[in-house]
Amino acid sequence: MSTIVKTEAVVLRSIDFKETSKIVTFYTRQFGKIAGMVKGARRPKSRFGTSLNPMSYVSLIIYKKEGREIQIVSQCDLIKPFRHLSEDIEKMAVGMAMIELVNIVTPEHAENAQLFLLLVNSLSSLNHAVKNPSNLLFYFEIHLARVLGFQPVLDHCVTCKKELKKINDDATYRFDIAKGGLACKRCSTAPG
Ligand SMILES: [Zn+2]
């Protein structure tokens, strides 16, 4: 049995399917990332208009069924058009990088309202930005790491746990990406 649900979403990706349909990846406020089938989306005079373009901020109605990989989209309407994102090439590049990052780092069906709000607010700020839109990408990346629970360890070694300022090894630290923080010189050069 499927239920009819309504949620806000940002369009991450949109691909053509069969003759007239599209399969669209949405980042939703309530359900995290989901894929939806939009039947008839590519018909001339489709009622979906530009709402299925990447970076669109939309109100979505879906027939949602647990365990179904691709949900059925019944309605998709623009909440607020971010017009400048499609008119300004630099803004478009930054906005596309933001949604691509979200697409890459999020698993399906993992709700994260903070991430949703960060994405909507960042696209909105980008839309209104008057200069240096690329600075917003840096801001977005830092906050994305935070809302995903990635807080780099900077005060002690991620391996031996010693406080970094107390280790006397000429203060040479390396960033250990796998462990998510700084490692002291001894640990970062030790074999294995
Ligand atoms: Zn160490």
Side-chain angles (χ1 to χ4, degrees):
M1 228 188 74
S2 59
T3 48
I4 299 175
V5 293
K6 185 177 180 179
T7 183
E8 291 173 44
V10 172
V11 175
L12 299 182
R13 197 177 264 192
S14 184
I15 57 167
D16 291 349
F17 182 73
K18 290 196 173 163
E19 295 298 302
T20 60
S21 302
K22 274 179 187 263
I23 293 174
V24 180
T25 308
F26 298 96
Y27 195 81
T28 69
R29 185 197 276 262
Q30 268 175 278
F31 314 107
K33 184 168 73 179
I34 59 168
M37 163 85 71
V38 191
K39 290 178 180 161
R42 280 153 56 226
R43 285 208 181 96
K45 294 180 189 168
S46 151
R47 65 197 158 94
F48 295 100
T50 60
S51 70
L52 301 170
N53 292 347
M55 302 186 285
S56 296
Y57 173 34
V58 297
S59 169
L60 192 63
I61 297 178
I62 43 180
Y63 295 110
K64 194 169 181 294
K65 196 173 183 180
E66 269 328 295
R68 185 162 60 190
E69 247 178 78
I70 298 174
Q71 309 294 343
I72 306 293
V73 174
S74 145
Q75 216 172 308
C76 183
D77 299 293
L78 282 178
I79 293 175
K80 211 194 280 173
F82 296 142
R83 284 202 186 85
H84 304 301
L85 300 189
S86 53
E87 290 166 356
D88 179 320
I89 191 88
E90 200 183 349
K91 288 185 178 185
M92 186 192 285
V94 172
M96 292 300 281
M98 287 177 181
I99 60 170
E100 193 54 35
L101 264 176
V102 169
N103 195 27
I104 291 167
V105 300
T106 55
E108 307 236 331
H109 313 293
E111 179 262 343
N112 188 334
Q114 262 191 302
L115 198 162
F116 176 79
L117 289 173
L118 171 68
L119 180 58
V120 170
N121 292 338
S122 301
L123 289 174
S124 179
S125 305
L126 181 62
N127 186 50
H128 297 299
V130 281
K131 56 176 184 179
N132 300 334
S134 52
N135 287 350
L136 278 164
L137 185 58
F138 182 61
Y139 164 93
F140 180 78
E141 286 168 347
I142 291 172
H143 288 270
L144 182 65
R146 184 180 53 80
V147 299
L148 290 172
F150 177 81
Q151 286 175 319
V153 175
L154 304 172
D155 62 341
H156 63 265
C157 170
V158 285
T159 301
C160 69
K161 313 292 179 204
K162 273 183 196 144
E163 259 188 82
L164 288 179
K165 59 186 173 193
K166 288 184 182 166
I167 300 174
N168 203 357
D169 63 356
D170 306 317
T172 307
Y173 312 134
R174 289 243 179 94
F175 194 79
D176 185 325
I177 292 170
K179 288 180 178 164
L182 290 176
C184 70
K185 190 180 186 181
R186 203 177 324 132
C187 292
S188 59
T189 53

